[in-house]
């Protein structure tokens, strides 16, 4: 078996890892599993010097050995996890079997995984790989919809642009969501967002065999990336389902009246229609776009057009470059 | 055992129900549809809408807090859009079929489907929007009877015997044996499963629509639907009697008896069409 060529992380760009351990054999084992182009290990035998490095230049992974004596491994983990800037950094703790004689309080020591001596090469490899993959998955998900957020959306769009691949990018957002939220409160607003996310995801997925991506920009803004061939049909289906389902989220009187009435801060009574969904679609065909920023700029322009109509609708960008 | 004790012990058993079986024919049909990548949500929804147990499972799931909007979704079509076909496949895989009691229960399935159709037609005649919501309420109105049969087979046997020996309707026999009827069981289930309030009230008050708090119209539609489907002798609700008809229901719906004539014409055609087709 070729060294450094069967580590299971072949798709991963170079990641930095800080190891705090005085165990040289362990260091060698790690460096032997992954090539430096995949996982670069910066090693410290004591915690003291490592902590400054972690704070100034957070790595993608921290492995800390419980045998380290100057600062305890759990204290190192606590330092990292108690500060929200570093909280997302995955931490693996290395234990000896005797360390496991009594249960650990994992609420107190918020590490992401542990490995136990004697180190068994395949287990070390898979634990580290799994921890890295899990961290990437969890990092950017919207807590409400669990859909990927801005970082993933931008990466996805830029990757497609760089690959010169044709795609349609649909920006969806809700009309009159704010007045709904103001009248009924944020927890009922969240219900509507959960519902919207599910409609979009399931509608897009129902096109069998198509590559699709759905992201949640935040609030009532969602992004769909799909093939230009199906995007118009997807918009129609999303609108049809949204318009059918959204009345269920209003109180019975408002649902009957098909509007909500509320009083603004000036004491003026205002009427708002039921929520609708507006979709602006930008196309990247024959490498028209060079940067994801162009896509969102065009979409924002289209969105204004879509919003002129109080009912759910979609607008396609048919301009040619 | 006093009524109150029975209520407590029975309620626990009722709510712990985890697997209600359904009819094999319906399950086969849905399985085929969800395995075919070309079938649409509408097609799948149509078949599920014919089965009270599958419909109840789907509504229970989509209205559970996991999805983040409990008590909001009334129709099967909407539930499928929100759940996605993967979840539907999971529900179908985890549903078992009736074996021994299948024959005895198929009458109740027909009765429930008949009540669903009748409720939809009555809602239309009364000029209500979204007849599908009334259809679902009609379909689920006797779900408590299914749960009793599955979870409490001995008590169910006692009820059936009372129906035969005392010549009572099923509802009255339930009251003799249990001290309460399937409408009470429906109320427990609907609340436990976070079903939307209109479906919940129809399930709870279909024998007494005037007692419903917010959705008297839904309860009244199902009340009349239950009556009509028994009049047609389509399916079997557990006895061979025609359920007591409350004039208050017609008042709630602002309908005259003669308004039901076109409804009955429509239903007689539909019943001929579906009888022997689904079961």
């Amino acid at each position: 078996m070729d060294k450094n060529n069967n580590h299971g992380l072949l798709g991963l760009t170079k990641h930095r890892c800080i190891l705090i351990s005085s165990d040289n054999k362990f260091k060698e084992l790690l460096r032997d599993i992954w090539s430096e182009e995949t996982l670069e290990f910066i090693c410290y035998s004591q915690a003291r010097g490592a902590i400054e490095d972690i704070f100034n230049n957070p790595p993608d992974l921290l492995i800390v050995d419980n045998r380290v004596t100057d600062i305890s491994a759990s204290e190192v983990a606590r330092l990292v996890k108690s500060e929200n800037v570093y909280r997302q950094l995955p931490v693996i703790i290395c234990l000896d079997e005797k360390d496991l004689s009594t249960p650990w309080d994992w609420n107190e020591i918020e590490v992401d995984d542990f490995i136990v001596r004697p180190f068994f090469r395949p287990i070390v490899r898979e634990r580290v790989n799994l921890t890295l993959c899990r961290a990437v998955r969890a990092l950017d998900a919207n807590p409400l919809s669990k859909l990927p957020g801005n970082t993933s959306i931008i990466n996805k769009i830029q990757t497609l642009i760089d690959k010169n691949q044709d795609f349609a990018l649909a920006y969806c957002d809700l009309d009159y969501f704010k007045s709904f939220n103001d009248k009924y409160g944020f927890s009922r607003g969240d219900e509507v967002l959960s519902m919207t996310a599910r409609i979009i995801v399931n509608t897009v997925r129902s096109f069998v065999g198509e590559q699709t991506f759905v992201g949640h920009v935040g609030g009532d803004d969602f992004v769909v990336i799909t093939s230009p061939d199906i995007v118009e049909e997807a918009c129609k289906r999303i609108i049809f389902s949204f318009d059918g389902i959204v009345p269920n989220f209003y109180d019975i009187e408002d649902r009957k009246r098909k509007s909500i009435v509320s009083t603004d801060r000036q004491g003026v009574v205002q009427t708002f229609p039921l929520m609708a969904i507006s979709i602006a679609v930008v196309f990247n065909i024959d490498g028209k776009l060079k940067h994801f920023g162009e896509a969102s700029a065009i979409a924002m322009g289209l969105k204004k057009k879509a919003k002129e109509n109080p009912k759910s609708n979609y607008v396609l960008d048919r301009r040619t470059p | 055992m006093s009524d109150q004790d029975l209520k407590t012990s029975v309620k626990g058993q009722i709510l712990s129900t985890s697997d209600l079986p359904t009819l094999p024919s319906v399950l086969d049909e849905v399985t085929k549809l969800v395995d075919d990548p070309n079938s649409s949500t509408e097609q799948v929804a149509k078949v599920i809408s014919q089965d009270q147990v599958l419909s109840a499972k789907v509504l229970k799931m989509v209205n559970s807090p996991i999805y983040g909007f409990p008590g909001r979704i009334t129709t099967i079509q909407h539930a499928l859009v929100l759940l996605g076909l993967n979840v539907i496949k999971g529900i179908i895989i985890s549903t078992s079929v009736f074996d021994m009691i299948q024959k005895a229960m198929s009458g109740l399935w027909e009765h429930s489907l008949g009540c669903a159709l009748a409720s939809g037609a009555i809602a239309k005649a009364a000029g209500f929007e979204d007849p599908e919501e009334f259809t679902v309420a009609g379909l689920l109105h006797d779900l408590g009877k299914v749960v009793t049969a599955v979870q409490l087979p001995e008590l169910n046997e006692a009820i059936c015997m009372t129906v035969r020996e005392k010549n009572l309707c099923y509802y009255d026999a339930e009251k003799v044996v249990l001290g309460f009827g399937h409408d009470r069981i429906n109320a427990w289930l609907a609340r436990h499963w976070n079903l939307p309030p209109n479906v919940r009230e129809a399930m709870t008050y279909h024998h007494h629509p005037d007692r419903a708090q917010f959705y008297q119209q839904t309860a009244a539609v199902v009340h009349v639907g239950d009556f009509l489907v028994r009049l047609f002798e389509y399916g079997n609700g557990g006895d061979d009697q025609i359920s007591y008809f409350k004039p208050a229901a017609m008042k709630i719906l602002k309908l005259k008896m003669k308004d039901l004539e076109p409804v009955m014409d429509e239903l007689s055609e539909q019943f001929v069409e579906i009888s022997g087709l689904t079961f």
Side-chain angles (χ1 to χ4, degrees):
Chain A
M1 185 166 44
D2 258 0
K3 183 191 149 186
N4 286 344
N5 205 16
N6 194 25
H7 52 65
L9 286 179
L10 289 173
L12 199 77
T13 52
K14 183 172 178 172
H15 275 53
R16 263 179 83 244
C17 175
I18 290 183
L19 169 71
I20 310 175
S21 173
S22 52
D23 180 348
N24 282 325
K25 274 194 180 154
F26 182 44
K27 185 164 70 180
E28 280 161 28
L29 172 69
L30 292 171
R31 284 190 167 152
D32 194 47
I33 297 176
W34 296 275
S35 71
E36 259 195 41
E37 284 71 49
T38 308
L39 268 187
E40 178 197 6
F41 284 93
I42 296 125
C43 303
Y44 293 88
S45 52
Q46 294 288 300
R48 225 168 286 282
I51 285 172
E52 214 187 317
D53 190 9
I54 294 167
F55 283 175
N56 287 321
N57 187 15
D60 302 299
L61 175 70
L62 170 65
I63 303 178
V64 52
D65 196 333
N66 203 36
R67 285 185 181 178
V68 170
T69 48
D70 63 333
I71 303 172
S72 74
S74 51
E75 180 62 14
V76 173
R78 202 193 55 77
L79 277 170
V80 170
K81 294 290 185 182
S82 60
E83 180 54 60
N84 70 330
V85 178
Y86 309 110
R87 219 185 137 69
Q88 306 287 355
L89 160 57
V91 179
I92 298 175
I93 191 169
C94 309
L95 305 175
D96 285 278
E97 220 173 303
K98 66 169 170 45
D99 297 333
L100 287 165
S101 55
T102 53
W104 285 64
D105 181 355
W106 299 116
N107 286 318
E108 192 62 36
I109 303 144
E110 292 181 66
V111 300
D112 298 84
D113 211 333
F114 68 89
I115 39 182
V116 185
R117 280 191 183 81
F119 296 128
F120 180 46
R121 184 184 168 109
I123 295 286
V124 172
R125 184 186 67 212
E126 296 311 313
R127 283 279 165 210
V128 170
N129 288 354
L130 176 60
T131 305
L132 277 170
C133 291
R134 198 195 284 134
V136 172
R137 278 202 296 267
L139 190 61
D140 191 38
N142 181 287
L144 179 70
S145 63
K146 316 284 195 298
L147 291 171
N150 286 325
T151 311
S152 311
I153 295 169
I154 292 168
N155 281 341
K156 180 79 188 174
I157 297 172
Q158 195 59 51
T159 310
L160 290 173
I161 289 175
D162 293 347
K163 279 203 251 169
N164 235 331
Q165 195 173 321
D166 288 358
F167 65 87
L169 172 68
Y171 274 76
C172 312
D173 81 333
L174 306 185
D175 306 344
Y176 311 109
F177 176 70
K178 193 181 174 304
S179 40
F180 179 92
N181 225 17
D182 288 347
K183 172 158 188 190
Y184 291 122
F186 68 87
S187 84
R188 279 178 69 179
D190 281 357
E191 288 188 2
V192 172
L193 298 179
S194 302
M195 175 272 283
T196 309
R198 293 213 55 90
I199 289 180
I200 294 175
V201 168
N202 286 328
T203 305
V204 173
R205 274 195 198 144
S206 69
F207 292 88
V208 180
E210 296 284 348
Q211 290 274 352
T212 55
F213 172 92
V214 179
H216 190 169
V217 179
D220 61 335
D221 283 302
F222 297 88
V223 163
V224 177
I225 300 169
T226 180
S227 92
D229 307 342
I230 61 160
V231 73
E232 189 164 5
E233 180 60 25
C235 290
K236 285 180 186 164
R237 289 197 208 167
I238 289 169
I239 287 171
F240 178 78
S241 296
F242 183 88
D243 288 348
I245 294 172
V246 84
N248 295 303
F249 289 75
Y250 286 83
D251 284 352
I252 191 170
E253 320 82 62
D254 293 345
R255 185 180 168 172
K256 275 189 191 147
R257 201 192 305 125
K258 295 194 168 74
S259 64
I260 58 176
V261 180
S262 69
T263 312
D264 68 16
R265 278 179 216 164
Q266 279 72 42
V268 182
V269 177
Q270 281 187 294
T271 307
F272 299 96
L274 297 192
M275 282 178 280
I277 189 162
S278 296
I279 311 177
V281 185
V282 181
F283 292 93
N284 181 48
I285 291 170
D286 300 330
K288 185 179 75 162
L289 302 175
K290 297 288 172 257
H291 191 260
F292 79 89
E294 290 174 62
S296 54
I298 298 170
M300 288 315 115
L302 287 175
K303 216 164 94 170
K304 287 202 187 82
K305 214 172 140 199
K307 286 222 172 260
E308 283 164 15
N309 186 341
K311 294 222 164 66
S312 291
N313 69 337
Y314 63 92
V315 181
L316 306 179
D317 174 39
R318 284 301 187 199
R319 287 173 290 181
T320 40
Chain B
M1 201 157 41
S2 77
D3 280 358
Q4 208 49 50
D5 292 340
L6 188 63
K7 216 175 258 179
T8 317
S9 66
V10 162
K11 187 175 178 182
Q13 265 174 289
I14 292 283
L15 294 184
S16 72
T17 177
S18 60
D19 182 28
L20 295 178
T22 190
L23 298 178
S25 55
V26 180
L27 208 56
D28 285 350
E29 207 178 326
V30 193
T31 309
K32 256 185 235 146
L33 274 179
V34 296
D35 284 342
D36 177 359
N38 293 318
S39 48
S40 66
T41 327
E42 290 80 13
Q43 288 173 296
V44 179
K46 204 176 159 209
V47 180
I48 291 182
S49 303
Q50 294 176 353
D51 186 273
Q52 53 178 328
V53 162
L54 282 181
S55 295
K57 284 188 179 193
V58 165
L59 290 178
K60 173 190 172 189
M61 185 148 298
V62 78
N63 286 300
S64 78
I66 297 166
Y67 287 93
F69 33 84
R72 295 279 176 218
I73 305 304
T74 313
T75 73
I76 303 302
Q77 170 68 27
H78 291 163
L80 294 204
V81 169
L82 292 164
L83 290 173
L85 279 187
N86 274 332
V87 172
I88 298 301
K89 276 183 195 168
I91 294 178
I92 289 160
I93 291 168
S94 64
T95 299
S96 53
V97 295
F98 274 126
D99 33 42
M100 299 156 8
I101 37 174
Q102 184 187 334
K103 268 223 159 75
M105 298 297 276
S106 68
L108 184 56
W109 254 251
E110 276 187 317
H111 169 73
S112 301
L113 177 56
C115 185
L117 294 171
S119 301
I122 294 158
K124 218 163 61 189
F128 298 143
E129 281 178 48
D130 306 315
E132 213 196 319
E133 298 196 352
F134 296 86
T135 311
V136 167
L139 186 69
L140 301 185
H141 80 289
D142 272 350
L143 196 70
K145 294 183 185 173
V146 182
V147 180
T148 306
V150 173
Q151 291 294 100
L152 311 160
E154 281 160 27
L155 287 172
N156 186 56
E157 188 44 48
I159 295 167
C160 293
M161 210 157 76
T162 312
V163 167
R164 285 193 300 270
E165 285 174 358
K166 299 196 175 161
N167 197 26
L168 289 175
C169 71
Y170 191 89
Y171 187 44
D172 288 335
E174 284 176 318
K175 287 184 173 167
V176 171
V177 174
L178 301 171
F180 50 88
H182 59 279
D183 48 355
R184 172 63 64 101
I185 295 173
N186 284 343
W188 295 338
L189 290 170
R191 195 168 285 281
H192 191 57
W193 293 351
N194 300 300
L195 298 188
N198 55 342
V199 175
R200 191 177 72 216
E201 290 203 355
M203 288 170 74
T204 310
Y205 300 109
H206 67 277
H207 285 283
H208 306 281
D210 45 328
R211 291 185 199 163
Q213 266 182 296
F214 303 107
Y215 295 91
Q216 288 201 340
Q217 290 175 337
T218 321
V221 162
V222 175
H223 180 80
V224 180
D226 193 14
F227 172 76
L228 287 187
V229 72
R230 279 168 173 264
L231 204 63
F232 275 103
E233 295 181 0
Y234 184 77
N236 189 311
D239 57 63
D240 49 14
Q241 306 198 7
I242 290 177
S243 60
Y244 179 71
F245 186 76
K246 286 204 146 193
M250 296 298 275
K251 230 171 143 181
I252 293 167
L253 299 176
K254 300 193 179 77
L255 287 178
K256 301 261 180 301
M257 282 317 264
K258 72 168 171 23
D259 297 326
L260 290 182
E261 283 167 20
V263 173
M264 291 173 74
D265 290 342
E266 188 189 329
L267 284 178
S268 67
E269 274 175 39
Q270 284 187 329
F271 288 158
V272 170
E273 238 173 77
I274 57 168
S275 71
L277 197 84
T278 323
F279 301 101

